[in-house]
Amino acid sequence: MSNLVLVSPIKGWVGPLDEVPDPVFAERLLGDGVAVDPTGNTIYAPCDGTIMTSAKHAVTLRAVCGAEILIHVGLETVALAGQGFVSHVGEGRSVRTGDPLLTFDLDFLALQVKSLISPIVVTNGDEFEILRREQNRETEVGEFLMELKPLKPEAAGEESVIVAEESREVVVALAHGIHARPAATLANAAKRFACDVSLMLEGRRVNAKSVVALMSLGVRKDARVTVVASGADARKAADALVDLIAAGLGEVAERAPVPEVVAVVREETTDPKRIRGVSAAPGIAIGPIAHLKLSEIAVAEKGAGIAHEAAELARALADVRTRIELAAARGDRQRRDILAAHIALLEDPELAEGARCAIATGKSAGFAWRHAVRDYARVLESLKDPRQRERVQDLLDLERQVLTELGGGEMQMQLPRGAILVARELLPSELIAAAECGIAGFCTAGGGPTAHVAILAAGMNIPAVVSAGERVLAIAEGADVVLDADKGELRLETDAGELRELRARIEVRRSEAGVAQRHAREDCFTADDTRIEIFANLGAGAREAAEAVALGAEGCGLLRTEFLFQDRDTPPTEDEQAQQYQAIAEALEGRPFIIRTFDIGGDKPVPYLALPPEENPALGLRGVRTGFWKPELLRAQIAAILRVKPKGQCRIMLPMVSAVAELAAVRGMLADIARERGFDADIPLGVMVETPASAVTTDHLADEADFFSVGTNDLTQYVLAMDRGNAQLAGQIDALHPAVLRLIAQAVRGAKGKMVAVCGGLGGDRLAAPLLIGLGVSELSGPAAGIPALKQTIRELRISDCRALAEKALAEKSAGDVRALLTRFAAETIKEAV
Ligand code: PEP
Ligand code: MG
């Protein structure tokens, strides 16, 4: 085992560490080494190795033999937050001796920082001894600097480990590029590999195990990126991650029921009595203005010792995590998803590393955390994509929570009950705290309708207007206003008559919602006694099922089982699935349970299946076709469903069916499994009507199928030839298009009396309910949160009116015309108009 020779990474004067005017280095708290007073402005690699951390002002390199070398440019340069530095390498990158690592502006730094002396230390000094070192002389880049001798035999063994580097290019086809959710998927997948993994775009390279770093790349649709992996399992990692990116990083158009967010484009108005914004959560509220008064939390820059500050930060992060978990447990699925993303950010390796580096230079935990967070917030703010910019709020929210925790306190908020909260921006945790004070609504100067805080507000039924501009900040504290989030505006003056009318409307809504809640668990009949079953779409586990039952779900109309197959390395086993389905069946307390076999492929890929590359994945291997491509998976799933007790509770539903033969083939498979395993094959088998082919051939399918359920999300995409995930087409891809409605009508007519349900997005839409019922649909399935109101709407309908409405809708020429027709119908027929 040979010694490691380090060459000088920079031109300058080499001196002993003792002369460094910073005890952290002089006392060798970070390790032994030398210090260079630089006259050059670029740091070059002192040996071959892999970049462990690259934080602009400092870089750590792991040599092939395992020695870890920190090169820290100047003292207290962390406070410059990267200003004056250009990094040439990202984390995980393999470098050769003499490769440029970072360049800095020597003159700028000389004016800004305490000292330019740059320590070069071995941070794992317990494994290496410095045999020789250069001192007190001029050095040029590449001249001898230090010689290290490994102390432990096992360190020597590492010399023979070949640090393989694999790189693969892939084009990102995701509609919104690598934004927060796909970044989280990619980072989680990367973390499963031991090797270092980075993602490169146009020469910039970031740690692929970090969500914030991935987002900071700002990868947009059609960008060509490179996955670079180095280490023992590099090849496997590079292959898997490239496949995952090529398959769309698990992006699903309707992954979770998203509360309806009415996006109204903001119009500038000079009307002094009103301020226009964008509706982020519907509703009307009347109340006094209360401004959010939270001053920036002050933090001391200097720490009280590295070990102390590191421990403080770890404690605060753990406490914030617990607090977030508790808040998530009190919320719906939407809130849980958002808060899970916050937890992922809290544990982000880049943020942790940024903070660790700052603490290592003597900063306090709070200063270090703020510095790490703001570094990334600045990068995200500079990105073009507004979705990415909105994630800055999530980062700042975590900054505030951790700083509050470090200060030893809980976030205190005191707001008058019934107030309209006004703020420049509102963070998710602030909204949760404000909701506990009982605010009636909120209006922000900035923000967008797709920010997490907007989604949370919709889930909490808090009317919200965002992006209202600076004028809102000037409204006097306590001024009475009307927040009309239905229209996306704040009214500063309202006459007494209008105010009376608005109060009456709020009262009706409130009492309707109360009535709906009270009757939520009763079976649903129209006013003229036709039974309409209202089911919930489920995607996760038993807990979600129990919540749905509490909200009045009469069963599960669609279990999206592909969720069980996502975010893991291998498919769930038959046993795992059987347990999961059994738990959901029990949470449903015997109510009907429709399990859709996995709809993998298209917009719902799973990495480990490595679906073959396809030109048009939405038209390729997905749904039941994937089941035929991997029959052993479909067989295991069917067997798991057949094991659920009591018999008769479950029904099986097949996605993406386009031919009778597919149904017959699954029937055959079912019979074989039942025979081989001694199960009873008598289980209802249904078809999801989501291809135009299935919609127009229900008469043939009805000979084999026991029931139908229309998936309006996919049916609309295939009928209109518009990608359901394409944001540009979002305004046009409307399930109320007469072409879609005519297909639903045809599907019902052909079904030979077999039950036809709707479980796509239209199934949970109160406005569409009378129309669907008029078309002959007898079961609606949608997001659980909407069930009480949906039932209440249906209780006011008469079948004859619904049929007449459906006739008219089928004759309309556009989705807009149908929507207008339904809105008129609701205003005339339903007490609290939808
Ligand atoms: C649909 O397509 O309408 C449907 C319910 O299935 P998914 O959204 O899961 O594709
Ligand atoms: Mg579908």
Side-chain angles (χ1 to χ4, degrees), residues 254 537 558 560 562 596 599 603-604 622 688 690 710-715 724 759-761:
E254 202 213 18
N537 291 349
L558 166 67
R560 289 184 162 102
E562 53 281 356
R596 173 173 81 183
D599 182 13
D603 59 347
K604 308 171 184 94
R622 66 168 294 193
M688 264 195 98
E690 49 186 354
V710 184
T712 51
N713 307 335
D714 276 313
L715 186 60
R724 63 191 267 187
C759 66

Side-chain angles (χ1 to χ4, degrees), residues 207-355:
N207 180 357
K209 296 182 181 180
S210 159
V211 183
V212 285
L214 286 173
M215 286 195 292
S216 73
L217 262 189
V219 179
R220 305 185 75 137
K221 184 169 189 304
D222 297 331
R224 184 174 288 277
V225 294
T226 310
V227 172
V228 185
S230 67
D233 51 357
R235 177 164 305 166
K236 228 170 128 196
D239 288 344
L241 298 179
V242 160
D243 286 349
L244 186 61
I245 296 172
L249 287 164
E251 276 298 78
V252 184
E254 202 213 18
R255 187 185 173 104
V258 175
E260 201 179 336
V261 174
V262 194
V264 184
V265 178
R266 182 176 158 204
E267 297 163 35
E268 288 301 337
T269 169
T270 46
D271 184 347
K273 294 186 192 158
R274 65 185 66 211
I275 297 176
R276 287 270 167 79
V278 174
S279 175
I284 297 175
I286 302 172
I289 288 285
H291 287 273
L292 182 70
K293 294 183 207 81
L294 290 172
S295 48
E296 166 129 327
I297 300 173
V299 288
E301 184 173 341
K302 202 166 161 35
I306 295 173
H308 171 79
E309 298 297 334
E312 270 296 278
L313 183 61
R315 178 197 60 75
L317 290 172
D319 289 351
V320 171
R321 188 195 160 109
T322 309
R323 213 187 284 282
I324 294 178
E325 280 169 346
L326 288 174
R330 291 197 302 271
D332 59 5
R333 164 117 187 259
Q334 209 77 41
R335 187 196 285 208
R336 289 201 296 274
D337 282 351
I338 291 170
L339 295 182
H342 280 197
I343 290 177
L345 285 177
L346 265 189
E347 293 174 344
D348 192 276
E350 286 288 307
L351 290 180
E353 188 54 28

Side-chain angles (χ1 to χ4, degrees), residues 486-721:
D486 290 346
K487 293 199 175 141
E489 67 181 25
L490 193 69
R491 282 185 235 158
L492 308 180
E493 280 176 39
T494 315
D495 67 45
E498 204 185 340
L499 216 48
R500 254 195 317 276
E501 196 201 304
L502 285 170
R503 283 197 209 285
R505 247 169 83 190
I506 295 172
E507 209 29 64
V508 171
R509 279 194 187 182
R510 194 172 294 145
S511 75
E512 287 297 320
V515 173
Q517 283 300 341
R518 278 197 297 286
H519 296 282
R521 296 196 63 164
E522 293 165 16
D523 285 351
C524 185
F525 291 88
T526 59
D528 50 3
D529 248 9
T530 301
R531 174 86 169 99
I532 306 290
E533 289 179 304
I534 306 296
F535 285 11
N537 291 349
L538 302 176
R543 181 168 148 177
E544 193 190 2
E547 284 170 6
V549 168
L551 285 163
E554 298 168 33
C556 166
L558 166 67
L559 179 74
R560 289 184 162 102
T561 58
E562 53 281 356
F563 286 127
L564 273 176
F565 290 70
Q566 289 172 335
D567 296 330
R568 45 189 298 151
D569 295 329
T570 51
T573 62
E574 180 191 315
D575 281 353
E576 269 177 77
Q577 291 186 66
Q579 268 173 24
Q580 190 72 11
Y581 303 148
Q582 185 64 48
I584 297 174
E586 284 165 19
L588 288 170
E589 297 167 348
R591 293 173 178 80
F593 180 15
I594 299 179
I595 304 180
R596 173 173 81 183
T597 56
F598 55 78
D599 182 13
I600 293 173
D603 59 347
K604 308 171 184 94
V606 295
Y608 50 83
L609 276 193
L611 291 154
E614 294 175 315
E615 189 85 355
N616 286 307
L619 303 178
L621 267 184
R622 66 168 294 193
V624 74
R625 297 173 215 153
T626 311
F628 293 134
W629 178 62
K630 292 273 176 201
E632 65 286 357
L633 282 189
L634 187 56
R635 286 174 61 86
Q637 182 169 44
I638 292 174
I641 299 171
L642 290 176
R643 283 165 59 178
V644 177
K645 293 192 178 72
K647 182 178 145 20
Q649 186 181 355
C650 293
R651 305 174 200 167
I652 297 178
M653 180 160 76
L654 305 176
M656 218 44 63
V657 169
S658 57
V660 183
E662 291 165 334
L663 193 56
V666 174
R667 275 231 184 266
M669 202 181 252
L670 224 157
D672 287 348
I673 298 166
R675 198 181 43 255
E676 287 160 22
R677 304 280 299 273
F679 298 138
D680 188 344
D682 183 18
I683 183 167
L685 184 62
V687 166
M688 264 195 98
V689 176
E690 49 186 354
T691 63
S694 61
V696 299
T697 57
T698 46
D699 54 337
H700 294 314
L701 290 166
D703 295 336
E704 291 279 347
D706 296 306
F707 65 93
F708 297 94
S709 187
V710 184
T712 51
N713 307 335
D714 276 313
L715 186 60
T716 309
Q717 122 162 309
Y718 294 123
V719 171
L720 302 184

Side-chain angles (χ1 to χ4, degrees), residues 709-780:
S709 187
V710 184
T712 51
N713 307 335
D714 276 313
L715 186 60
T716 309
Q717 122 162 309
Y718 294 123
V719 171
L720 302 184
M722 290 183 188
D723 182 346
R724 63 191 267 187
N726 187 326
Q728 230 111 24
L729 301 176
Q732 286 152 270
I733 181 159
D734 191 336
L736 290 178
H737 193 295
V740 181
L741 302 182
R742 288 182 186 197
L743 279 182
I744 300 176
Q746 187 172 353
V748 176
R749 273 199 308 275
K752 297 184 174 162
K754 303 252 165 97
M755 190 271 282
V756 180
V758 172
C759 66
L762 216 53
D765 184 342
R766 288 168 73 200
L767 193 67
L771 163 62
L772 295 175
I773 292 169
L775 289 173
V777 169
S778 59
E779 180 197 292
L780 297 174

Side-chain angles (χ1 to χ4, degrees), residues 431-462:
L431 174 61
I432 292 170
E436 276 162 21
C437 299
I439 57 160
F442 74 81
C443 179
T444 54
T450 54
H452 280 158
V453 74
I455 296 169
L456 283 176
M460 292 193 262
N461 287 325
I462 294 181

